[in-house]
Amino acid sequence: MRRRVKWVACASGLCVLGAAGVVSGCGAQTAPHPTASTMAASAQATARGVVRITAPTGSNLTTLDPSQWGPQILVDQGTIMEGLFGYNPQNQIVPKLCAGYTLSKDGLTWTFQIRRDARWSNGQPVTAYDFYYAYMRQLSPANPNGQLWLSVLNVVKNAYAYHAGTVPLSQLGLKVLGPYTLQITTSVPHYILGDLAEAGSMPINEQVAKAHPTDWFLPPYFVSDAPFTVKSFTPNGTLVLVRNPKYVGHPGEVNEGNAQEIDVVPGTSVPVEDFMAHKVDVVEVGTPSDLQYVKTHPALVAQLHKAPDYAVTYLQYDNSAVPSPLTNPLVRQAIAEAIQRAPIVQDVLGGMAGTTTTFSVPGWPTAKYEHGLPENVAQARALLAKAGYPGGKGFPTLYLYAEVPSSNPQLVPVAEAVAQELQQNLGIHTKIVQLNSTEWGSLTYGGPQKGIQPGYNVAVGGTNDMDPASLNLGGDQGVYWPGTYGYSIAFVQHVLPWYNTPYDPASIQKYGDPNNPNMGVSWSQWAPLVKAAQADIAYLNRWTAEQPAAWRKIMDPPGSPTLTQQWNQIVEQFKQAKTAAAKHAAWVEAWKFVAPYSEGSGGGGINTGSLDVQVYWDEHESNDVRNWRMWQAEYQNSPDMFSSAATAAKLMTQLIQQGYTIPLYYAETYYLERTGITGAQPNPWSWGGFYQMQYLSVR
């Protein structure tokens, strides 16, 4: 049956009038008209304490298992699962199941006391064994799909080694000291309270999970230790949550609102229309056109709210191995000062962001310490002229890279706006190159890439949790990789093959080819690797010993195996091997321990822990780069989240003022919350949507 289309006049010409009265085909809308029965049903639901809230559009809930990452993080942490720590309504870390803790003098061992009054929804006590079971379930070598990277397990001593099956349980930094005492030891000093608020750090009722190993998280088996438990769940459909009658909350904290039921419904492409039709009570306003429509209707404006996201979009020096004027800091500074952010935010983003010259958002720990470059077009022109390019004369085409609109609709329009400003303000011509999601991810989060011409990448930096490693909101990404910020063209050209081939070609010439199954089966074939390992280890031990004591503890944590011990362990594998294949496998592991390799061609990353990489890095880096690396290691491995903010900001201030990163704006979430409902929390972390739904209340 052919759909009848009704055309209406609007500011843009003729547009389509949808069934609910909302105009499509342009930014204009007309109000939908909910039926009397719909409004009555909505009022009755609200009176019963029911709140309907949307999941992120296109990211509907597929599972509630907290070890399998996805949108389930929106409800697992805090709403239907509660851990030792959680987020309060201001996104601050507060105790939940934790009754108290101690930290050892070396900053490595955290001993937590668990509240004795906490109960699962089936009445059983929540104990340290439930945390230990949940963690070991993810860590088991028999569970290759365990996602350790976004939970406290990411920093637990020997967690990854145990998961890989290379160390025994006795060397893992997890212990149960009693029914209500859990001890966690980290590899280096590290603030872990934010990690403990993550979904992967939640406890699981061991008895229920063992009785129903594949579907313990589904009704009717699921038991909760949080304010809500699961009434019904349809994967990719609606999740209905109801009050957990056994929940007691943490004394002295705001633990929950008064909502009796929360219906998490799949997001749609017409959230404002759904809100106006009383289909949902809390929705994100996803587009500038929707926002403009809301702002022109007083009844909607009264229900409109906004909150900052912890994400910054910025121009990222693109690590090109091609010589260009960008190697001159005056040029990079000129480009940074020529960018005018307000027009980008208003004209391109429709006001759905906040301008910034630093990697911080309002209230972020580093905000008061970071110092960016000013917006100053006149000074930018003077700097470019001083560098030898007055009015852009003689300046080669500058490349701007951005993710394709199908993956991120903002970045190409932002690149176009930047291109226009550089042309108008500096006389610099640009070329915009769109990258698919994988290519853009490699450029944003990896090192130098083949085929990249001199310019900038429109990058997005964000964070997953309240962790010292997240203090710079991803803006320090380039410091992880040799050849990114602060390196000579010769250095970049030398390391380029490391990132773009599975095994470094030059290293294959020196040590042999890991793809050859006949290599490494006899000890004589190990000779080049043995010689290199001995020389590299001697150099690295001397270099480490020359560094300040505070940095030595980070680079060589007490109790960790030495480089020599790690090498000898690999050699022992060869000696114990009974077959040629096993001997070759040990040799390949030795090859990777010594030489640069990338997991997959063009993957963007390398094994920065390999000996040859570390030696070349240390021998050829500038004092600036060395400081950046050490500052990064220092604040990331701090046992206190906030005392390290000044060090993190010091690093970013230098990167910004040298023009390697050019912050543009921080994201903001606009959302509609129906009158009479409070407590909706837009998720400020990388996941988007709403989270901490336990704070929803109905008046």
Side-chain angles (χ1 to χ4, degrees):
M1 178 177 178
R2 179 173 294 179
R3 174 178 173 235
R4 179 171 292 180
V5 175
K6 182 177 181 181
W7 295 93
V8 297
C10 69
S12 302
L14 294 179
C15 299
V16 180
L17 181 64
V22 174
V23 176
S24 63
C26 72
Q29 292 179 319
T30 60
H33 301 287
T35 65
S37 60
T38 300
M39 294 183 67
S42 175
Q44 291 173 5
T46 302
R48 297 196 312 271
V50 178
V51 178
R52 294 154 303 174
I53 187 169
T54 55
T57 302
S59 301
N60 299 325
L61 298 169
T62 57
T63 177
L64 300 178
D65 184 343
S67 70
Q68 301 304 307
W69 292 107
Q72 68 272 19
I73 196 173
L74 306 177
V75 292
D76 279 347
Q77 57 182 45
T79 304
I80 63 173
M81 291 182 167
E82 189 161 89
L84 291 167
F85 286 80
Y87 294 101
N88 69 8
Q90 290 75 44
N91 298 320
Q92 298 166 324
I93 299 297
V94 295
K96 292 296 184 179
L97 292 182
C98 179
Y101 70 90
T102 59
L103 177 61
S104 61
K105 289 184 178 180
D106 60 8
L108 297 175
T109 301
W110 303 71
T111 304
F112 296 95
Q113 300 299 321
I114 298 172
R115 285 195 356 251
R116 294 175 182 245
D117 60 342
R119 292 290 183 272
W120 293 103
S121 53
N122 64 2
Q124 295 176 341
V126 183
T127 70
Y129 298 107
D130 295 315
F131 283 92
Y132 187 79
Y133 172 78
Y135 296 169
M136 295 308 299
R137 177 174 171 270
Q138 295 182 62
L139 284 168
S140 171
N143 178 17
N145 297 319
Q147 304 290 320
L148 313 185
W149 59 276
L150 192 55
S151 74
V152 72
L153 301 178
N154 190 50
V155 295
V156 167
K157 182 179 180 181
N158 287 324
Y160 283 93
Y162 176 79
H163 187 58
T166 59
V167 302
L169 180 61
S170 60
Q171 295 184 28
L172 181 65
L174 287 176
K175 290 182 180 178
V176 174
L177 303 184
Y180 298 97
T181 306
L182 179 70
Q183 189 174 86
I184 298 175
T185 301
T186 58
S187 303
V188 294
H190 190 86
Y191 173 87
I192 67 172
L193 304 188
D195 300 302
L196 289 169
E198 295 299 329
S201 299
M202 301 295 111
I204 295 174
N205 185 292
E206 180 176 2
Q207 180 178 324
V208 172
K210 285 185 174 179
H212 307 281
T214 61
D215 53 6
W216 59 269
F217 52 84
L218 294 176
Y221 314 121
F222 182 80
V223 294
S224 168
D225 67 333
F228 286 84
T229 190
V230 179
K231 179 181 180 180
S232 65
F233 173 54
T234 302
N236 295 313
T238 298
L239 168 68
V240 178
L241 310 177
V242 292
R243 281 282 173 189
N244 173 6
K246 301 295 184 181
Y247 182 72
V248 294
H250 193 286
E253 298 294 340
V254 176
N255 297 293
E256 56 188 332
N258 67 9
Q260 298 302 302
E261 177 180 313
I262 300 172
D263 298 349
V264 185
V265 301
T268 72
S269 60
V270 286
V272 175
E273 178 178 351
D274 288 344
F275 181 84
M276 297 171 70
H278 286 257
K279 294 180 180 179
V280 290
D281 302 306
V282 184
V283 296
E284 283 190 65
V285 180
T287 66
S289 60
D290 277 350
L291 180 60
Q292 295 311 309
Y293 175 79
V294 169
K295 287 183 174 181
T296 60
H297 290 72
L300 291 175
V301 171
Q303 301 173 93
L304 180 66
H305 307 269
K306 74 172 180 177
D309 292 349
Y310 300 153
V312 173
T313 297
Y314 64 105
L315 297 184
Q316 176 189 45
Y317 187 65
D318 66 13
N319 323 325
S320 173
V322 179
S324 81
L326 288 180
T327 57
N328 186 337
L330 295 177
V331 171
R332 299 193 302 270
Q333 291 164 350
I335 291 171
E337 294 191 17
I339 302 298
Q340 296 170 293
R341 293 158 178 79
I344 296 174
V345 167
Q346 293 304 319
D347 300 339
V348 178
L349 306 177
M352 300 183 72
T355 63
T356 184
T357 59
T358 64
F359 279 85
S360 61
V361 300
W364 192 248
T366 60
K368 62 182 178 181
Y369 300 112
E370 278 191 43
H371 303 285
L373 288 172
E375 292 184 11
N376 190 324
V377 174
Q379 184 167 290
R381 290 169 177 163
L383 287 169
L384 193 64
K386 186 176 180 180
Y389 305 97
K393 184 178 181 180
F395 200 94
T397 297
L398 186 75
Y399 282 69
L400 296 175
Y401 295 90
E403 190 175 15
V404 291
S406 59
S407 298
N408 189 323
Q410 289 185 347
L411 299 190
V412 169
V414 168
E416 291 169 345
V418 168
Q420 183 177 0
E421 291 190 350
L422 292 179
Q423 167 65 31
Q424 291 176 346
N425 296 337
L426 295 180
I428 291 177
H429 296 279
T430 57
K431 180 177 181 179
I432 296 173
V433 179
Q434 298 185 27
L435 302 176
N436 65 40
S437 184
T438 299
E439 294 168 335
W440 179 83
S442 295
L443 188 58
T444 302
Y445 304 114
Q449 302 292 296
K450 284 183 178 178
I452 296 299
Q453 297 299 312
Y456 287 87
N457 174 38
V458 184
V460 180
T463 177
N464 294 317
D465 56 6
M466 186 67 78
D467 183 278
S470 302
L471 277 168
N472 285 327
L473 299 178
D476 57 357
Q477 187 69 37
V479 180
Y480 290 111
W481 309 106
T484 49
Y485 308 149
Y487 295 92
S488 67
I489 288 295
F491 187 107
V492 179
Q493 290 172 339
H494 179 86
V495 304
L496 189 64
W498 298 357
Y499 294 93
N500 294 277
T501 52
Y503 298 103
D504 173 41
S507 298
I508 290 176
Q509 293 296 317
K510 288 192 290 185
Y511 307 129
D513 188 354
N515 293 308
N516 182 350
N518 297 317
M519 284 299 303
V521 297
S522 66
W523 182 246
S524 62
Q525 293 173 318
W526 283 61
L529 284 175
V530 171
K531 182 179 179 181
Q534 291 173 343
D536 285 352
I537 291 171
Y539 172 86
L540 292 170
N541 287 340
R542 289 194 305 271
W543 188 89
T544 301
E546 294 169 356
Q547 306 311 309
W551 291 350
R552 287 202 305 272
K553 287 198 301 184
I554 296 171
M555 293 181 290
D556 190 15
S560 61
T562 65
L563 293 174
T564 298
Q565 289 171 333
Q566 294 175 57
W567 171 256
N568 289 340
Q569 188 178 41
I570 298 172
V571 171
E572 186 62 26
Q573 290 180 29
F574 171 82
K575 293 179 179 178
Q576 297 297 325
K578 304 300 183 183
T579 65
K583 292 177 184 292
H584 170 72
W587 179 83
V588 171
E589 187 173 348
W591 198 102
K592 293 181 177 181
F593 186 73
V594 172
Y597 77 96
S598 174
E599 291 290 358
S601 179
I606 55 170
N607 58 328
T608 55
S610 78
L611 301 181
D612 283 355
V613 169
Q614 291 185 60
V615 168
Y616 189 83
W617 209 350
D618 294 340
E619 284 181 333
H620 294 88
E621 67 189 359
S622 66
N623 287 332
D624 269 353
V625 172
R626 183 171 304 184
N627 284 337
W628 299 342
R629 289 175 61 197
M630 295 306 164
W631 292 340
Q632 187 183 61
E634 185 178 337
Y635 73 75
Q636 289 189 352
N637 297 297
S638 169
D640 183 279
M641 177 73 189
F642 302 101
S643 65
S644 52
T647 301
K650 181 166 57 174
L651 165 60
M652 286 317 301
T653 294
Q654 287 202 9
L655 293 180
I656 293 169
Q657 294 193 351
Q658 292 191 30
Y660 288 116
T661 60
I662 306 174
L664 300 176
Y665 58 87
Y666 61 85
E668 289 181 323
T669 296
Y670 282 83
Y671 62 102
L672 290 166
E673 185 177 55
R674 195 168 307 285
T675 301
I677 293 174
T678 60
Q681 258 186 280
N683 190 341
W685 315 103
S686 300
W687 309 103
F690 298 96
Y691 84 142
Q692 305 303 120
M693 298 178 190
Q694 68 270 20
Y695 298 121
L696 287 167
S697 289
V698 178
R699 291 198 301 271

